[in-house]
Amino acid sequence: MKVELRNPNRTLEFKGTMSVVALLNRLELNRESVLVIRDGTLVPGDAMLAHEDHIEIRSVISGGNS
Amino acid sequence: MKCRVCREPAVIDLRRHNANFCIEHFLRLCRDQVAKAIAEHDMFAPEDRILIAVSGGKDSLALWDILLDMGYQVDGLYIGLGIGEYSEQSVTYVEKFVESRDVNLRIIDLPTEYGYDIPSGSRAAKRTPCSACGLSKRHLFDQAATEGGYDVVVTGHNLDDEAAVLLGNTLRWQSDYLGRQKPVLPAGHGFPRKVKPLVRLGEREMAAYCVLTGIDYIVDECPKAVGNKHLGYKEVLNLLEAQSPGSKHDFYAGFLARAVDRFASAEDETIDDRPALRPCTACGAPCSSEVCAFCRLVERATQDVPVKLGPTAKKEPTSL
Ligand code: SF4
Ligand SMILES: [Zn+2]
Ligand SMILES: [Zn+2]
């Protein structure tokens, strides 16, 4: 599967299927800090991602303090 | 995973609520939480005229959408900060949001209307960019609300923002800030009422709201935020949240329920000792000195002071 990440922008490739939680663990990302998006909608933690999926992992943290 | 309400397939898991939701019931949860915050803190009434501070980010656009959906009259104010590509892009998301809705948006562009931008203002005033930015935004929102006769200014500060600020204030025991950290700042001394209807929703929820309703927002971070303390506090809180869901909410809600008033009372006593506010001689905004901090910032940022090099100054390299 193709996984798009930002800051810096990059695309990673993974083989086979795995759950959203497994992918986030593998990337050492905190589930509280990101959303996983596939085909314009959200996929929950237990959803299985298929080999041909193209997904975006989007950080939800913004930093302005005012 | 199935939706807690209707048992249809879920799109999001909210571990803090120990539940999963489908699109419809997730959106309903967001609206319910906003309605609850408004009622709980008596933020505003249905007939009030509301001014929302919008940045092009997820929180303010989602909040605007939710409030309109609930039937409130909400006009928007966007401030062009002149922070390069970030500002150029963020305004386009606000304009796109407005295009499809029957709402009023006012845009104040710092470079064209005041002759400075946040990077130059920050250098001239020797403030951090976020401090110069916060000062400018507060001033312009207050002014626009007063001039426009709005009853209340709403901002998109969410639970994560408030918990992070609370953590920062607590680490340094800033009792005066702690006493004022409430979701409602009443009007007074010539300042408008300010409220934060998103205090019951986290930023993951707000981003999810935008994705699920098709609201496009600026995903990239303001470059001035990178590496600031506020982000660090959010990361720490999310580590706690991952281990023990609900921590952020308990931290902030517990503070409001059991602690803020202890600091607030100490704060109230000092209010009378403060010098009375009087109008700024340049712009008329209430302030404690002759000229307000915003007008001083504008003055410094727009003064063209030539750089003087002393006789011992080293020659600068001519090429980069
Ligand atoms: S990060 Fe700082 S400079 Fe950037 S918009 Fe937020 S407050 Fe302003
Ligand atoms: Zn449902
Ligand atoms: Zn002034």
Side-chain angles (χ1 to χ4, degrees), chain B residues 34-51:
Chain B
V34 169
K36 206 164 166 182
I38 294 169
E40 200 172 17
H41 301 286
D42 208 1
M43 289 184 172
F44 40 76
E47 65 277 9
D48 282 346
R49 283 188 63 227
I50 300 171
L51 182 66

Side-chain angles (χ1 to χ4, degrees), chain A residues 63-66, chain B residues 81 83 86 118 129-130 133-134 137 221-222 224-225 228:
Chain A
N65 176 18
S66 73
Chain B
L81 304 168
I83 306 181
Y86 168 75
I118 293 305
C130 292
C133 183
K137 288 194 283 200
E221 193 54 68
C222 169
K224 304 294 178 197
N228 74 16

Side-chain angles (χ1 to χ4, degrees), chain B residues 265-299:
Chain B
S265 53
E267 160 74 5
D268 284 344
E269 281 162 25
T270 59
I271 275 182
D272 296 332
D273 303 336
R274 283 195 204 157
L277 297 180
R278 53 185 173 178
C280 162
T281 51
C283 74
C287 70
S288 52
S289 50
E290 203 166 311
V291 178
C292 77
F294 175 76
C295 289
R296 275 181 278 145
L297 167 72
V298 177
E299 202 196 323

